[in-house]
Amino acid sequence: MNEGKAREQISRGDRAASLLREELLNEAFSKLETDFIQAWKNSSVEDSQNRERLYMLCQNLAAVKDYLEQVVTSGKLAKAQLDELQNRVKFEKRK
């Protein structure tokens, strides 16, 4: 990975981490999940189509959060790789 791409991944990771720390976003994730599950529990036995829709909404909500967490992880890995590259360059200059 080149330095520019690593820096971009680090920046994206930082922004995703910031989003995941946002109280309002976490409140939204929690409220929506609770609402979807409650609606599923309250659905009638005959309403399988609505339950399927609610299931997909829960899955999509989890996918959004998982994606943000993956971006954070990618940013941390890019930071480690960039640090390693910079340490290697410093070591080579000492020779």
Side-chain angles (χ1 to χ4, degrees):
M1 170 182 317
N2 67 37
E3 186 176 342
K5 185 170 176 75
R7 291 192 185 284
E8 174 61 25
Q9 284 188 341
I10 293 167
S11 175
R12 288 171 47 84
D14 290 344
R15 292 192 320 259
S18 178
L19 285 172
L20 289 171
R21 286 190 304 268
E22 278 293 323
E23 183 180 338
L24 186 57
L25 184 62
N26 283 305
E27 180 183 318
F29 280 134
S30 180
K31 172 143 178 39
L32 289 171
E33 182 178 29
T34 299
D35 289 352
F36 296 155
I37 291 170
Q38 194 61 42
W40 169 76
K41 286 179 179 180
N42 292 332
S43 66
S44 68
V45 172
E46 301 84 22
D47 198 2
S48 62
Q49 186 175 8
N50 191 42
R51 281 193 305 279
E52 287 293 320
R53 183 182 65 82
L54 290 163
Y55 172 80
M56 289 306 299
L57 287 170
C58 283
Q59 293 298 102
N60 291 338
L61 189 62
V64 170
K65 192 170 185 178
D66 288 346
Y67 178 75
L68 290 173
E69 290 169 353
Q70 288 173 9
V71 172
V72 170
T73 299
S74 293
K76 288 178 181 178
L77 290 172
K79 172 83 169 100
Q81 289 175 342
L82 185 58
D83 289 347
E84 182 182 329
L85 177 64
Q86 289 172 342
N87 287 337
R88 202 175 310 150
V89 168
K90 286 178 188 177
F91 180 75
E92 290 297 321
K93 285 183 181 180
R94 290 180 187 166
K95 286 184 176 181

